[in-house]
Amino acid sequence: MELRIACIPGDGIGPEIIAEARKVLDKTADIYGHKIHYTDVLLGGASIDVHGVPLTEEAIHTIRQSAAVLMGSIGGDAAVSPWYRLAPQLRPEAGLLALRKALDLFANLRPAILYEELADACPLKENIIGGGFDIMIIRELTGGLYFGERKTETENGVRKALDTLVYDEKEIRRVAVKAFDIAMKRRRKVTSVDKANVLDSSRLWRAVTEEVAKDYPEVVLEHMLVDNCAMQLVRNPAQFDVILTENMFGDILSDEASMVTGSIGMLASASLNDSRFGLYEPSHGSAPDIAGQDIANPIATVLSAAMMLRYSFDLDREADSIEDAVKTVLKDGFRTGDIISADKTQVGCSRMGDLLAERIACKI
Ligand code: NAD
């Protein structure tokens, strides 16, 4: 298979972690007989330095010619970087927001996985984490409270602010379909999270989710109120497979779930649109404090590349091989500095990439 991938190294540790993800992808492609065509694209600070803007029309055009985007991360240290003396719409993050909008990336996927070997990093007690957990949070990304009408005004000398939470059934249906499709590739359970005891938008969310569920008889659908879900994530995270929720609830719950895993350098993410197209990037930022030192953990980016193979190219076996390589490397005792513990072998970013690539094995 020919894979056309736009690659955005970005800023800070971005180029280092992308180089390692490509090493692992190339080895996977070699083993399974695929050909990858990468096109490098500038975004964020790297684009400002060359073009004066964080995202160009040419960059969007190049990305549209590709089937998926693999990204490092963008941005710098706001206290010292000249990028943050520019107008807000010219700063690095504005480029990423504009790109997500241009590509209509409405479904954000954030896996929260606790690896047995990293259980020490989990802030929960051993009797709660038991055999670990593997949750996929699917957050609606382009609607809801963050995109509704908002204003601040003063009425009779009293300041008043208004935000509006709006969803139409099409917006709910398309993200629900994504969640059920993804559940079919996993353990076939969707927990739809809302606040249906209070909000009309949540009652519509619940009704549409139930309509979508009729097309997926193999998937179990349950509904959970958002306040209960926040509790259940720390009480019994293993009960969840796919969590489906709206924009603001997902913003909060995905951060909670990722902190429960305890390892920021391990967390992948994907943002998808209506086609198979997706933008894949680690959940962490560009870590300017450790850039250029070959000490960043590339695993979140490597796991994002595995998600890309699974969701944009339907290459499940290849994605499994990469995820297995991550587990094997951890079992073999290798760690980057951010996840090091006693009796383990500390390695740098590039060595970690080599170790992962060495462990890619054919799953036929
Ligand atoms: P950050 O995630 O970059 O770093 C937080 C801490 O975690 C730092 O101490 C960093 O060294 C460490 N860390 C992060 N990733 C690591 C890795 N792979 N291996 C080892 N350690 C790692 O968050 P921040 O410092 O708040 O943000 C830095 C920049 O990143 C800012 O400009 C911010 O806007 C940007 N950012 C970009 C994205 C994105 O591109 N999607 C997301 C979040 C933040």
Side-chain angles (χ1 to χ4, degrees):
M1 182 176 182
E2 307 257 322
L3 283 64
R4 297 200 178 279
I5 300 172
C7 216
I8 302 177
D11 307 317
I13 59 170
E16 299 166 59
I17 54 181
I18 281 291
E20 301 319 308
R22 281 175 64 155
K23 220 181 246 177
V24 176
L25 275 174
D26 289 343
K27 179 70 183 293
T28 312
D30 257 8
I31 287 188
Y32 285 91
H34 303 301
K35 174 125 192 61
I36 305 185
H37 305 274
Y38 299 102
T39 315
D40 278 344
V41 175
L42 295 178
L43 180 75
S47 173
I48 296 171
D49 289 345
V50 176
H51 302 294
V53 290
L55 175 68
T56 60
E57 281 303 321
E58 293 97 295
I60 298 178
H61 178 75
T62 305
I63 287 168
R64 285 194 202 280
Q65 308 303 308
S66 315
V69 187
L70 180 65
M71 185 175 122
S73 55
I74 53 114
D77 181 345
V80 295
S81 167
W83 300 329
Y84 295 89
R85 291 199 285 275
L86 298 168
Q89 74 277 10
L90 291 177
R91 292 180 190 174
E93 289 72 14
L96 181 55
L97 291 179
L99 181 62
R100 285 181 177 148
K101 199 169 168 203
L103 300 172
D104 197 19
L105 300 171
F106 63 83
N108 180 241
L109 279 55
R110 289 254 303 254
I113 302 173
L114 182 69
Y115 294 92
E116 217 182 308
E117 293 76 18
L118 299 181
D120 284 356
C122 175
L124 302 180
K125 289 187 179 142
E126 213 182 317
N127 66 330
I128 292 177
I129 51 179
F133 51 85
D134 176 355
I135 307 169
M136 176 69 82
I137 300 201
I138 301 183
R139 163 189 172 195
E140 200 292 325
L141 203 57
T142 54
L145 200 59
Y146 298 172
F147 290 87
E149 186 204 339
R150 69 173 64 103
K151 62 180 174 192
T152 303
E153 58 193 8
T154 302
E155 243 179 50
N156 303 323
V158 178
R159 282 175 301 160
K160 194 166 107 180
L162 170 119
D163 295 284
T164 325
L165 201 177
V166 187
Y167 272 110
D168 70 37
E169 59 182 308
K170 287 188 196 150
E171 291 171 302
I172 302 169
R173 183 165 288 110
R174 65 183 186 172
V175 72
V177 165
K178 283 272 182 230
F180 280 86
D181 282 345
I182 287 164
M184 288 294 289
K185 287 186 173 237
R186 294 173 48 99
R187 301 190 304 281
R188 301 186 176 190
K189 179 178 173 192
V190 171
T191 304
S192 174
V193 174
D194 59 39
K195 190 72 183 167
N197 53 342
V198 180
L199 301 176
D200 265 26
S201 56
S202 283
R203 285 190 273 272
L204 181 63
W205 185 278
R206 209 173 260 221
V208 175
T209 308
E210 278 177 9
E211 287 162 22
V212 172
K214 289 190 183 127
D215 293 332
Y216 297 84
E218 301 99 323
V219 178
V220 175
L221 168 67
E222 68 173 12
H223 300 285
M224 191 176 278
L225 295 176
V226 62
D227 38 352
N228 187 25
C229 184
M231 284 195 294
Q232 295 299 330
L233 275 171
V234 290
R235 205 183 131 268
N236 178 15
Q239 72 183 282
F240 295 110
D241 177 18
V242 171
I243 292 179
L244 162 68
T245 192
E246 61 93 54
N247 203 343
M248 183 181 63
F249 297 159
D251 189 5
I252 298 167
L253 293 176
S254 59
D255 269 15
E256 182 191 0
S258 61
M259 283 326 292
V260 167
T261 70
S263 312
I264 190 173
M266 303 286 300
L267 301 168
S269 88
S271 302
L272 310 178
N273 68 17
D274 251 336
S275 66
R276 303 195 67 79
F277 185 91
L279 173 89
Y280 300 84
E281 56 173 326
S283 293
H284 59 72
S286 59
D289 53 332
I290 58 165
Q293 299 174 38
D294 191 30
I295 57 172
N297 185 348
I299 294 180
T301 316
V302 168
L303 290 170
S304 304
M307 288 180 83
M308 175 178 74
L309 296 183
R310 195 181 298 287
Y311 296 117
S312 283
F313 298 102
D314 233 348
L315 296 174
D316 286 345
R317 280 178 319 166
E318 289 81 342
D320 288 345
S321 292
I322 295 179
E323 289 167 3
D324 288 350
V326 168
K327 286 180 198 146
T328 312
V329 141
L330 295 175
K331 263 199 192 86
D332 293 346
F334 296 104
R335 306 279 191 274
T336 43
D338 56 314
I339 51 171
I340 191 73
S341 58
D343 306 332
K344 303 297 179 218
T345 308
Q346 185 162 342
V347 295
C349 183
S350 165
R351 178 86 183 111
M352 180 55 93
D354 291 341
L355 291 165
L356 289 165
E358 280 165 19
R359 281 160 181 73
I360 297 293
C362 191
K363 286 184 77 80
I364 293 173

